[in-house]
Amino acid sequence: MQLRGQQTHMSVTPRDQPPATPKANSQVVSRLKQRILTLETENNELKRKNEALAGQIYRVHSLLEQVERQKDIIATLEDRLKQATEQITPAKVISLTGKSQTKISETIKAQLEATGIQLNPTLIKAIKSSQEETVLNAIEAYKEAIITGNVGRPLGWLKRAIEEEWKPNGAVQAKSELDTFNEWFPLAKNRGLVKASQNTKQGIMVYTDHGECIAFADMLAKYPVEKLKLSL
């Protein structure tokens, strides 16, 4: 096409110009073939780049679809979380958000003194990081455990009971308490800790030489049977 355009605008060859030789024609053909090869090479390179761009566009579309799917999943999970949060009972919410104590209350101190447990830094930290009700429940659970003899290390047991929010289970039967009392009372009386006892609606009460009326469970926590036996 380029040669045809050139021939259209070419002037008539003068009669005295020598005709083109086969060698000259061969050179023109050779240059045209070289030009065709160059254009084909450029065309192939453009095709390769076009295919690469098409692949990148496909990957971008695929990523966009994945993002949309992830958005849907996140929205579904948020709805489920909201529904689960709304189903939490008020009591549980209070337990999770309740404030810890800045100091140990007198009620807790009195209960600990009744059980004979001495405070140490570890136990103080556990008590201050929990609510008063949680600590009192743990102490009551400790008293029950003392009656059944299921306490190894009192401080460690009570610390775990506070941290795990144990509660008294009421599993101690009156008969078991009475059996323990029948073993404990003679030992305690022999040491001069008590002089009398009484069975009330609140449980077994014992009386000291000073006329104090103390719950048997509190005295047992402070003076376990094993401790009284060792002192004989």
Side-chain angles (χ1 to χ4, degrees):
M1 293 295 292
Q2 194 173 13
L3 290 174
R4 288 175 181 174
Q6 291 176 1
Q7 291 176 356
T8 303
H9 300 287
M10 287 175 60
S11 59
V12 180
T13 305
R15 293 182 179 179
D16 56 352
Q17 184 175 352
T21 62
K23 183 178 180 181
N25 290 334
S26 176
Q27 291 176 350
V28 172
V29 172
S30 178
R31 287 196 300 269
L32 291 176
K33 288 181 178 180
Q34 185 63 37
R35 179 58 178 168
I36 290 171
L37 290 174
T38 303
L39 292 174
E40 288 179 348
T41 302
E42 292 177 356
N43 187 43
N44 292 334
E45 181 66 18
L46 291 173
K47 285 183 179 179
R48 186 188 64 78
K49 291 181 179 180
N50 187 45
E51 291 175 356
L53 290 173
Q56 292 179 4
I57 292 173
Y58 175 78
R59 285 193 293 272
V60 169
H61 282 295
S62 178
L63 291 173
L64 289 175
E65 291 177 356
Q66 292 181 18
V67 169
E68 292 300 325
R69 287 196 296 269
Q70 293 297 327
K71 286 182 179 179
D72 293 338
I73 293 173
I74 291 172
T76 302
L77 292 176
E78 287 178 346
D79 290 339
R80 291 181 180 177
L81 178 61
K82 183 178 179 181
Q83 294 175 3
T85 304
E86 292 175 351
Q87 293 174 359
I88 297 177
T89 61
K92 189 64 177 178
V93 173
I94 292 174
S95 176
L96 291 174
T97 59
K99 295 181 179 179
S100 59
Q101 306 175 76
T102 56
K103 62 180 182 179
I104 300 176
S105 68
E106 294 300 324
T107 303
I108 293 176
K109 289 181 180 179
Q111 289 294 322
L112 290 174
E113 184 177 355
T115 59
I117 293 180
Q118 299 293 325
L119 289 170
N120 65 3
T122 302
L123 187 57
I124 290 173
K125 182 179 179 181
I127 292 174
K128 286 186 175 181
S129 62
S130 303
Q131 298 180 63
E132 182 177 1
E133 182 182 359
T134 300
V135 177
L136 294 176
N137 284 335
I139 294 174
E140 290 301 318
Y142 170 77
K143 292 178 182 179
E144 283 191 352
I146 284 292
I147 294 176
T148 58
N150 294 326
V151 176
R153 297 183 301 116
L155 287 174
W157 196 100
L158 183 57
K159 174 178 176 293
R160 182 181 177 185
I162 293 171
E163 292 175 345
E164 298 184 5
E165 300 184 6
W166 291 358
K167 296 181 180 179
N169 54 27
V172 179
Q173 301 296 325
K175 185 177 183 302
S176 299
E177 184 178 9
L178 184 60
D179 291 341
T180 304
F181 173 78
N182 290 335
E183 181 182 7
W184 176 87
F185 187 79
L187 298 172
K189 189 175 182 180
N190 186 48
R191 285 197 55 190
L193 298 175
V194 294
K195 65 177 183 179
S197 65
Q198 183 182 5
N199 194 5
T200 67
K201 293 181 179 180
Q202 289 76 30
I204 300 175
M205 308 297 292
V206 296
Y207 296 89
T208 67
D209 290 337
H210 303 290
E212 293 179 289
C213 181
I214 303 174
F216 165 62
D218 293 340
M219 287 293 288
L220 181 62
K222 191 173 183 179
Y223 302 101
V225 174
E226 292 75 11
K227 184 177 180 180
L228 295 178
K229 287 181 177 180
L230 291 175
S231 62
L232 292 178

